[in-house]
Amino acid sequence: DAEITQSPRHKITETGRQVTLACHQTWNHNNMFWYRQDLGHGLRLIHYSYGVHDTNKGEVSDGYSVSRSNTEDLPLTLESAASSQTSVYFCASSDLRSTDTQYFGPGTRLTVL
Amino acid sequence: SQELEQSPQSLIVQEGKNLTINCTSSKTLYGLYWYKQKYGEGLIFLMMLQKGGEEKSHEKITAKLDEKKQQSSLHITASQPSHAGIYLCGAPKGSYGQNFVFGPGTRLSVLP
Protein backbone atom coordinates (compact mmCIF):
# COMPACT_ATOMS: atom_id res chain seq x y z
CA ASP A 1 0.00 0.00 0.00
CA ALA A 2 1.14 3.54 -0.73
CA GLU A 3 2.11 5.54 2.30
CA ILE A 4 3.92 8.57 3.63
CA THR A 5 6.57 8.12 6.29
CA GLN A 6 8.58 10.48 8.44
CA SER A 7 11.82 9.97 10.31
CA PRO A 8 12.83 10.25 12.98
CA ARG A 9 9.58 10.16 14.96
CA HIS A 10 11.24 11.87 17.91
CA LYS A 11 14.32 14.06 18.01
CA ILE A 12 16.04 16.03 20.73
CA THR A 13 18.73 18.46 19.68
CA GLU A 14 20.61 21.48 20.97
CA THR A 15 20.30 25.11 19.99
CA GLY A 16 22.45 25.97 16.99
CA ARG A 17 22.70 22.47 15.54
CA GLN A 18 21.57 21.64 12.03
CA VAL A 19 18.72 19.13 11.91
CA THR A 20 17.15 17.35 8.96
CA LEU A 21 13.74 15.71 9.09
CA ALA A 22 12.95 13.16 6.41
CA CYS A 23 9.68 12.70 4.54
CA HIS A 24 9.14 9.89 2.04
CA GLN A 25 5.96 9.14 0.11
CA THR A 26 5.15 6.25 -2.19
CA TRP A 27 1.91 7.75 -3.57
CA ASN A 28 3.86 9.22 -6.52
CA HIS A 29 2.28 12.57 -5.64
CA ASN A 30 3.58 15.74 -7.23
CA ASN A 31 2.82 18.00 -4.28
CA MET A 32 4.52 17.77 -0.90
CA PHE A 33 4.15 19.99 2.15
CA TRP A 34 5.73 20.57 5.52
CA TYR A 35 3.67 21.89 8.45
CA ARG A 36 4.35 22.54 12.07
CA GLN A 37 1.68 22.13 14.70
CA ASP A 38 1.73 24.14 17.92
CA LEU A 39 -0.82 24.73 20.63
CA GLY A 40 -2.71 27.91 19.93
CA HIS A 41 -1.52 28.10 16.32
CA GLY A 42 -2.85 24.95 14.74
CA LEU A 43 -1.16 23.73 11.57
CA ARG A 44 1.05 26.23 9.79
CA LEU A 45 2.67 25.74 6.41
CA ILE A 46 6.48 25.91 6.36
CA HIS A 47 7.48 24.97 2.81
CA TYR A 48 5.90 23.20 -0.11
CA SER A 49 6.86 21.71 -3.45
CA TYR A 50 4.83 21.18 -6.61
CA GLY A 51 7.36 18.87 -8.21
CA VAL A 52 11.02 17.93 -8.57
CA HIS A 53 13.35 20.92 -8.17
CA ASP A 54 10.41 23.15 -7.18
CA THR A 55 10.25 24.64 -3.67
CA ASN A 56 8.20 27.49 -2.21
CA LYS A 57 8.01 29.30 1.10
CA GLY A 58 4.99 28.99 3.33
CA GLU A 59 3.85 31.32 6.07
CA VAL A 60 6.52 30.31 8.64
CA SER A 61 9.57 29.51 6.49
CA ASP A 62 12.27 31.50 8.35
CA GLY A 63 15.00 29.18 9.65
CA TYR A 64 13.89 26.25 7.48
CA SER A 65 14.85 25.00 4.03
CA VAL A 66 13.78 22.15 1.74
CA SER A 67 15.03 20.60 -1.46
CA ARG A 68 13.26 18.26 -3.87
CA SER A 69 15.60 16.07 -5.88
CA ASN A 70 13.07 13.33 -6.60
CA THR A 71 9.32 12.77 -6.45
CA GLU A 72 9.34 10.67 -3.28
CA ASP A 73 11.30 12.81 -0.82
CA LEU A 74 11.13 16.29 0.66
CA PRO A 75 13.59 16.65 3.55
CA LEU A 76 13.17 19.62 5.88
CA THR A 77 16.35 21.21 7.25
CA LEU A 78 16.61 23.48 10.25
CA GLU A 79 19.80 25.38 9.53
CA SER A 80 20.51 26.40 13.13
CA ALA A 81 17.92 25.01 15.50
CA ALA A 82 16.25 27.42 17.91
CA SER A 83 14.06 26.71 20.93
CA SER A 84 11.17 28.37 19.09
CA GLN A 85 11.35 25.50 16.60
CA THR A 86 10.35 22.96 19.21
CA SER A 87 7.18 21.57 17.66
CA VAL A 88 5.53 18.63 15.97
CA TYR A 89 6.28 18.54 12.27
CA PHE A 90 4.00 16.96 9.71
CA CYS A 91 4.71 16.14 6.12
CA ALA A 92 1.84 15.79 3.63
CA SER A 93 1.43 15.01 -0.04
CA SER A 94 -1.28 15.41 -2.64
CA ASP A 95 -1.79 14.80 -6.32
CA LEU A 96 -1.80 17.43 -9.05
CA ARG A 97 -5.15 19.15 -8.68
CA SER A 98 -5.61 22.01 -6.24
CA THR A 99 -8.54 20.33 -4.55
CA ASP A 100 -6.92 16.95 -4.07
CA THR A 101 -6.84 15.50 -0.59
CA GLN A 102 -3.65 15.92 1.38
CA TYR A 103 -2.39 12.76 3.05
CA PHE A 104 -0.35 13.21 6.18
CA GLY A 105 2.62 11.43 7.67
CA PRO A 106 2.67 10.38 11.36
CA GLY A 107 4.68 13.42 12.46
CA THR A 108 8.07 14.13 14.03
CA ARG A 109 8.23 15.57 17.52
CA LEU A 110 11.27 17.85 17.71
CA THR A 111 12.61 19.30 20.94
CA VAL A 112 15.33 21.95 20.82
CA LEU A 113 17.11 22.43 24.14
CA SER B 1 -6.10 35.93 3.62
CA GLN B 2 -8.49 33.10 4.14
CA GLU B 3 -9.02 31.88 7.68
CA LEU B 4 -10.96 29.00 9.12
CA GLU B 5 -12.60 29.15 12.51
CA GLN B 6 -13.92 26.16 14.40
CA SER B 7 -16.41 25.89 17.20
CA PRO B 8 -16.49 24.73 19.82
CA GLN B 9 -12.83 24.71 20.78
CA SER B 10 -13.38 21.61 22.88
CA LEU B 11 -16.27 19.32 23.63
CA ILE B 12 -16.93 16.67 26.26
CA VAL B 13 -19.89 14.39 25.69
CA GLN B 14 -21.28 11.26 27.22
CA GLU B 15 -21.07 8.11 25.10
CA GLY B 16 -24.17 7.74 22.96
CA LYS B 17 -24.83 11.46 22.62
CA ASN B 18 -24.92 13.33 19.33
CA LEU B 19 -22.67 16.30 18.68
CA THR B 20 -21.87 18.89 16.03
CA ILE B 21 -18.64 20.69 15.19
CA ASN B 22 -18.67 23.78 12.98
CA CYS B 23 -16.12 25.25 10.60
CA THR B 24 -16.56 28.76 9.21
CA SER B 25 -14.56 30.42 6.48
CA SER B 26 -13.94 34.10 5.90
CA LYS B 27 -14.12 33.49 2.15
CA THR B 28 -15.90 31.20 -0.28
CA LEU B 29 -14.58 27.69 0.00
CA TYR B 30 -13.25 25.82 -3.03
CA GLY B 31 -13.41 22.61 -1.09
CA LEU B 32 -13.63 21.67 2.55
CA TYR B 33 -11.84 18.76 4.14
CA TRP B 34 -12.38 17.17 7.50
CA TYR B 35 -9.54 15.40 9.27
CA LYS B 36 -9.28 13.60 12.58
CA GLN B 37 -6.13 13.53 14.67
CA LYS B 38 -5.42 11.32 17.64
CA TYR B 39 -2.87 12.47 20.17
CA GLY B 40 0.67 11.91 18.92
CA GLU B 41 -0.45 10.83 15.48
CA GLY B 42 -0.89 12.30 12.05
CA LEU B 43 -4.08 13.54 10.47
CA ILE B 44 -6.50 11.03 9.04
CA PHE B 45 -8.65 12.14 6.14
CA LEU B 46 -12.38 11.79 6.84
CA MET B 47 -14.34 13.52 4.09
CA MET B 48 -14.17 16.12 1.38
CA LEU B 49 -17.01 18.44 0.31
CA GLN B 50 -16.97 20.60 -2.79
CA LYS B 51 -20.43 21.58 -3.86
CA GLY B 52 -22.77 23.94 -2.05
CA GLY B 53 -25.37 21.96 -0.16
CA GLU B 54 -23.33 18.77 -0.38
CA GLU B 55 -23.64 16.21 2.38
CA LYS B 56 -21.56 13.08 2.93
CA SER B 57 -21.71 10.34 5.51
CA HIS B 58 -19.29 7.70 6.67
CA GLU B 59 -20.41 5.35 9.40
CA LYS B 60 -21.80 7.64 12.11
CA ILE B 61 -20.20 10.84 10.87
CA THR B 62 -22.00 13.25 8.54
CA ALA B 63 -20.50 16.39 7.06
CA LYS B 64 -22.36 19.17 5.28
CA LEU B 65 -21.31 22.22 3.30
CA ASP B 66 -23.77 25.09 3.22
CA GLU B 67 -25.16 26.53 0.00
CA LYS B 68 -22.98 29.63 0.21
CA LYS B 69 -19.89 27.44 0.68
CA GLN B 70 -18.64 29.33 3.71
CA GLN B 71 -19.62 27.02 6.51
CA SER B 72 -19.40 23.31 7.16
CA SER B 73 -20.64 21.15 9.99
CA LEU B 74 -19.52 17.73 11.15
CA HIS B 75 -22.15 15.74 13.00
CA ILE B 76 -21.48 12.57 14.97
CA THR B 77 -24.42 10.39 15.87
CA ALA B 78 -24.38 8.16 18.97
CA SER B 79 -20.79 9.04 19.86
CA GLN B 80 -18.34 6.38 21.00
CA PRO B 81 -14.99 6.58 22.81
CA SER B 82 -13.34 5.77 19.46
CA HIS B 83 -14.58 9.13 18.16
CA ALA B 84 -12.39 11.00 20.63
CA GLY B 85 -9.63 13.12 19.14
CA ILE B 86 -9.06 16.46 17.48
CA TYR B 87 -11.15 17.31 14.44
CA LEU B 88 -9.70 19.78 11.98
CA CYS B 89 -11.20 21.36 8.93
CA GLY B 90 -8.96 22.36 6.05
CA ALA B 91 -9.45 24.11 2.73
CA PRO B 92 -7.41 25.02 -0.34
CA LYS B 93 -6.57 28.70 -0.39
CA GLY B 94 -7.91 29.26 -3.85
CA SER B 95 -9.27 27.55 -6.92
CA TYR B 96 -5.76 27.08 -8.33
CA GLY B 97 -3.67 27.06 -5.18
CA GLN B 98 -2.63 23.73 -3.78
CA ASN B 99 -1.90 25.27 -0.42
CA PHE B 100 -4.17 24.53 2.43
CA VAL B 101 -5.27 26.51 5.42
CA PHE B 102 -6.48 24.68 8.51
CA GLY B 103 -8.79 25.53 11.34
CA PRO B 104 -7.43 25.43 14.91
CA GLY B 105 -9.18 22.16 15.67
CA THR B 106 -11.90 20.95 18.02
CA ARG B 107 -10.89 18.59 20.79
CA LEU B 108 -13.54 15.94 21.41
CA SER B 109 -13.65 13.75 24.50
CA VAL B 110 -16.24 10.99 24.83
CA LEU B 111 -16.89 9.71 28.30
CA PRO B 112 -17.83 6.01 28.65
Side-chain angles (χ1 to χ4, degrees):
Chain A
D1 285 348
E3 60 177 356
I4 179 166
T5 57
Q6 293 183 237
S7 62
R9 293 295 312 278
H10 301 271
K11 173 81 176 176
I12 300 174
T13 191
E14 295 177 343
T15 302
R17 291 192 180 264
Q18 184 181 75
V19 176
T20 297
L21 309 182
C23 175
H24 179 80
Q25 54 99 0
T26 58
W27 295 95
N28 201 34
H29 284 161
N30 284 80
N31 307 327
M32 294 184 74
F33 308 84
W34 273 105
Y35 295 89
R36 59 178 290 175
Q37 187 177 38
D38 306 283
L39 276 175
H41 291 281
L43 276 165
R44 291 182 290 174
L45 183 64
I46 305 171
H47 280 286
Y48 57 99
S49 168
Y50 292 157
V52 177
H53 301 310
D54 176 76
T55 61
N56 305 278
K57 294 181 180 181
E59 61 179 303
V60 290
S61 60
D62 286 349
Y64 303 93
S65 63
V66 293
S67 62
R68 186 95 180 266
S69 57
N70 59 52
T71 300
E72 296 81 16
D73 299 288
L74 186 70
L76 177 72
T77 298
L78 286 69
E79 304 293 343
S80 177
S83 58
S84 60
Q85 294 176 309
T86 292
S87 186
V88 181
Y89 291 85
F90 289 100
C91 178
S93 70
S94 69
D95 211 336
L96 276 175
R97 295 174 304 172
S98 62
T99 52
D100 272 347
T101 302
Q102 290 193 11
Y103 293 93
F104 282 77
T108 294
R109 184 174 294 276
L110 176 68
T111 302
V112 182
L113 301 176
Chain B
S1 61
Q2 183 174 30
E3 291 185 356
L4 295 178
E5 295 181 354
Q6 287 185 239
S7 62
Q9 204 170 15
S10 64
L11 195 53
I12 302 173
V13 300
Q14 203 71 39
E15 183 176 358
K17 295 292 187 184
N18 302 336
L19 62 105
T20 300
I21 298 168
N22 294 302
C23 176
T24 304
S25 171
S26 56
K27 297 183 179 181
T28 299
L29 293 161
Y30 292 96
L32 191 288
Y33 298 71
W34 283 102
Y35 289 87
K36 179 185 175 184
Q37 184 180 27
K38 290 204 166 183
Y39 179 76
E41 299 179 15
L43 279 68
I44 299 168
F45 169 72
L46 295 175
M47 276 175 275
M48 178 187 75
L49 305 164
Q50 278 192 281
K51 299 177 184 177
E54 186 175 6
E55 179 176 320
K56 285 187 178 178
S57 293
H58 176 67
E59 297 180 345
K60 295 185 177 181
I61 301 176
T62 300
K64 299 179 186 179
L65 182 61
D66 74 340
E67 290 289 344
K68 291 184 179 180
K69 295 174 67 175
Q70 283 194 271
Q71 187 166 18
S72 176
S73 61
L74 185 82
H75 184 78
I76 298 178
T77 304
S79 58
Q80 300 167 355
S82 61
H83 287 128
I86 301 172
Y87 289 82
L88 294 100
C89 59
K93 281 191 170 181
S95 58
Y96 296 103
Q98 283 100 330
N99 295 346
F100 269 49
V101 62
F102 287 88
T106 295
R107 184 179 294 272
L108 172 65
S109 300
V110 181
L111 304 177

